[in-house]
């Protein structure tokens, strides 16, 4: 049975959605194409009708996950115009985000692994990091352009770094202390 273009587009979207979640949960190498396709409710054989390689899927899934994170940041900032950076940090640096990597920030879940990926994945992440820094810089009040850029990069690095550390430790109290310290640092 032949699939319509609309159904093919929906299938591709299901694959990318499943991949975006599963890569963040299990890592890029933690799930194979067959299991990924099964999670998307499709057959393994259909993968190459949508993607030329797993790397192409990783790049697209990474871009989608990061785009969604930035959209959330924009929404949070718009809701808290007096202190948008604190609003973003207040949602990002939470135990809920820490405990649900599959629904959270790709950089916090897979940042170190990105450096081991090919150029398409690195480009997708680079573009998103640049966009994130640009967005955060617009939220920094009353400073020079260079100072806003530094604060944006520092804020982004603090968010991701604190989340990575909070997930890495096996002591829940220390994990929460790391999240709290990151939040306080962004608010300063």
């Amino acid at each position: 049975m032949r699939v319509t273009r609309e159904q093919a587009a929906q299938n591709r979207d299901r694959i990318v959605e499943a991949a975006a979640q599963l890569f963040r949960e299990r890592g890029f190498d933690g799930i194979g194409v067959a299991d990924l396709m099964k999670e998307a409710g499709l057959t393994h054989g259909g993968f190459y009708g949508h993607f030329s390689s797993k790397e192409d899927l990783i790049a697209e899934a990474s871009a989608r996950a990061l785009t969604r994170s930035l959209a959330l940041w924009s929404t949070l900032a718009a809701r808290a115009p007096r202190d948008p950076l604190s609003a973003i940090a207040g949602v990002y640096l939470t135990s809920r985000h820490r405990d649900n990597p599959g629904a959270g920030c790709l950089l916090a879940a897979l940042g170190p692994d990105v450096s081991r990926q090919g150029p398409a994945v690195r480009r997708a992440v680079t573009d998103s990091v640049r966009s994130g820094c640009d967005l955060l810089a617009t939220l920094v009040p009353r400073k020079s352009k260079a100072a806003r850029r530094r604060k944006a990069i520092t804020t982004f690095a603090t968010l991701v770094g604190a989340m990575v550390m909070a997930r890495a430790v096996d002591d829940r109290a220390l994990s929460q202390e790391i999240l709290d310290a990151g939040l306080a640092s962004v608010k300063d």
Side-chain angles (χ1 to χ4, degrees), residues 130-179:
R130 186 174 286 115
S131 294
C133 290
D134 291 346
L135 169 65
L136 293 173
T138 67
L139 305 176
V140 176
R142 299 179 302 274
K143 294 188 179 196
S144 70
K145 184 176 180 178
R148 287 193 313 269
R149 181 77 173 169
R150 277 193 306 277
K151 176 67 174 174
I153 291 170
T154 301
T155 299
F156 206 157
T158 298
L159 294 174
V160 174
M163 186 55 64
V164 169
M165 288 176 61
R167 286 179 176 160
V169 300
D170 68 355
D171 178 328
R172 294 298 260 192
L174 176 59
S175 178
Q176 189 60 51
E177 188 178 4
I178 292 165
L179 295 175

Side-chain angles (χ1 to χ4, degrees), residues 8-9 18 20 26 31 39 50 71 73 75-78 93 97 104 106 114 129-130 133 141 161-162 169 186:
R26 302 180 194 175
I31 186 159
E39 286 287 329
H50 296 281
W73 288 8
T75 299
L76 294 169
L93 295 173
H97 183 203
L106 182 112
V114 169
V129 168
R130 186 174 286 115
C133 290
V169 300
V186 171

Side-chain angles (χ1 to χ4, degrees), residues 11-103:
N11 289 346
R12 182 184 179 93
D13 189 61
R14 285 185 11 220
I15 297 166
V16 174
E17 283 298 314
Q21 178 183 341
L22 293 170
F23 289 146
R24 286 177 286 172
E25 288 176 358
R26 302 180 194 175
F28 294 129
D29 295 328
I31 186 159
V33 170
D35 289 332
L36 207 155
M37 292 298 284
K38 184 177 178 182
E39 286 287 329
L42 301 165
T43 63
H44 176 252
F47 177 83
Y48 291 100
H50 296 281
F51 304 95
S52 61
S53 67
K54 185 176 177 185
E55 182 181 343
D56 288 344
L57 173 59
I58 291 171
E60 189 169 332
S62 296
R64 179 171 298 184
L66 289 164
T67 297
R68 286 215 173 119
S69 291
L70 294 181
L72 173 62
W73 288 8
S74 292
T75 299
L76 294 169
R79 289 182 187 162
R82 289 178 109 87
D83 194 1
L85 294 179
S86 292
I88 291 167
V91 170
Y92 192 99
L93 295 173
T94 62
S95 58
R96 180 178 179 193
H97 183 203
R98 178 196 61 209
D99 298 341
N100 294 293

